[in-house]
Amino acid sequence: MPLAPPPATSAPAAPVSEFDLIRRHFDRAAHHTDLAIGDDAALFRARPGMQLAVSTDMLVAGTHFLPDTDPEDLGWKTLAVNLSDLAAMGAEPRWALLAAALPAVDETWIAAFARGLFACAEAFAVDLAGGDTTRGPLTLSVTIIGEVPLGEAITRAGARPGDELWISGQPGRAALGLAALRGDIALDPAARAECIAALQRPQPRIALGLALRGLASAMLDVSDGLLGDLGHILERSASGAVIDVAALPLAALRRTGASDDRCRRSLLSGGDDYELLFTAPAAARSRIEDLSRRLALPLHRIGTLTATAGELQLREADGTLAAAAHTGYDHFR
């Protein structure tokens, strides 16, 4: 019988240049940018009466995300964690610049990453205005630029003794999701999916940050753990704080199947939540509760600021006070 013909061989794919990648995957129509991708610099203007709020975050494979993270989720998260910094200042996001080091040209991976990135950009009305690409270990860095009315930015330095301490949403889920992905804990299936989603697709609290202008006295987003990040407010505001353990939103975490100790550590020290931690005068309490209902977002009042600078204590359910270590993630420890 005759031999079957040899399989057809396709010609090797033409090499893809840096500029081809940008044109194919990242050059999109801009909505509020005078000149975006395609030139040596972007051109944009702040609106009258606005200050620019600018922040940069870097995500490194193996440090900030697992190397096998779904690229579409990673695209979302790369932008979302930067948007969270603007939310923490009460700023409205407008522009983003992306710098990416890629170990190889994998267009399937890049296309999925771009889908996630632009899904987040469209959800929060952000223009990708430029950036850079190069070959190297997988590293993603976004510079985010937003606007806030002159003098209305919410900083870390405005907290005063007697102010109440609030946290948004459900901190602790991201840490449980990471532990589940690493195989450190077993969670109920539905809870596992929810916690991993909290880790991979954080929701920047832009609407809350904007609504807290004039209400919050100090604010930041929780990226490195509630206790560790609260320490930054205490340092900048020369204040102390008492956290009421009974007021912490632990009930939902306990329903995941994780141990009480794991739930508590995840909430207080886990990080990667990108919830807003803020202080406000007690007189603002009813307005904050109204805001929680309007945004359909839980806002938990978890403690009080004190006059003892730098002192952070936990009040247990029985009233016992104990010093809390300012534990949280540190890139150099």
Side-chain angles (χ1 to χ4, degrees):
M1 67 185 282
L3 294 175
T9 57
S10 57
V16 179
S17 75
E18 171 188 1
F19 305 103
D20 290 334
L21 287 177
I22 293 170
R23 279 192 295 269
R24 291 180 191 178
H25 302 290
F26 298 103
D27 192 356
R28 306 282 180 97
H31 302 288
H32 36 253
T33 306
D34 295 335
L35 180 63
I37 291 171
D39 223 298
D40 288 302
L43 299 175
F44 47 79
R45 289 170 285 181
R47 291 170 292 184
M50 294 288 192
Q51 285 181 297
L52 292 180
V54 184
S55 180
T56 299
D57 257 324
M58 184 182 297
L59 301 182
V60 179
T63 299
H64 301 98
F65 59 91
L66 299 176
D68 62 351
T69 297
D70 177 87
E72 192 164 338
D73 287 343
L74 184 58
W76 175 282
K77 185 170 184 174
T78 296
L79 184 56
V81 301
N82 285 269
L83 290 170
S84 184
D85 285 333
L86 293 189
M89 301 290 291
E92 177 185 354
R94 302 280 281 169
W95 304 279
L97 305 172
L98 170 67
L102 305 172
V105 175
D106 180 343
E107 286 214 66
T108 300
W109 189 98
I110 292 168
F113 175 85
R115 282 197 304 273
L117 181 84
F118 282 104
C120 190
E122 289 162 13
F124 295 96
V126 176
D127 283 352
L128 183 64
D132 191 24
T133 57
T134 189
R135 184 183 296 274
L138 183 56
T139 304
L140 305 159
S141 180
V142 167
T143 296
I144 194 77
I145 305 167
E147 295 177 328
V148 61
L150 187 63
E152 293 187 23
I154 307 168
T155 72
R156 302 175 179 185
R160 297 293 179 265
D163 283 358
E164 296 177 331
L165 180 65
W166 298 78
I167 184 74
S168 68
Q170 183 55 71
R173 290 184 305 173
L176 292 180
L178 179 59
L181 285 175
R182 286 175 166 168
D184 295 339
I185 57 172
L187 301 177
D188 294 338
R192 174 187 169 88
E194 180 182 303
C195 291
I196 291 174
L199 173 70
Q200 308 288 43
R201 291 248 180 175
Q203 300 300 311
R205 304 301 188 187
I206 296 294
L208 175 60
L210 297 178
L212 285 171
R213 291 178 190 161
L215 283 179
S217 52
M219 185 159 64
L220 49 63
D221 68 329
V222 177
S223 57
D224 296 328
L226 190 156
L227 291 180
D229 286 329
L230 175 56
H232 301 313
I233 288 179
L234 302 186
E235 178 182 6
R236 294 297 300 274
S237 297
S239 299
V242 174
I243 293 177
D244 290 303
V245 173
L248 295 173
L250 285 164
L253 300 183
R254 290 174 176 139
R255 289 194 292 270
T256 66
S259 69
D260 278 359
D261 179 65
R262 171 76 75 166
C263 291
R264 178 164 164 160
R265 284 189 289 114
S266 295
L267 191 153
L268 290 175
S269 303
D272 235 8
D273 293 306
Y274 303 99
E275 297 291 354
L276 295 185
L277 181 68
F278 63 95
T279 62
R285 185 188 304 175
S286 63
R287 294 171 65 190
I288 293 171
E289 291 169 345
D290 288 343
L291 177 60
S292 176
R293 288 188 286 270
R294 177 161 61 85
L295 296 179
L297 175 65
L299 300 176
H300 311 280
R301 181 166 49 88
I302 61 170
T304 307
L305 275 287
T306 70
T308 308
E311 182 180 72
L312 177 53
Q313 295 181 301
L314 298 179
R315 181 185 288 118
E316 301 293 342
D318 63 3
T320 304
L321 283 171
H326 292 200
T327 56
Y329 182 78
D330 186 310
H331 294 279
F332 297 100
R333 283 195 308 193

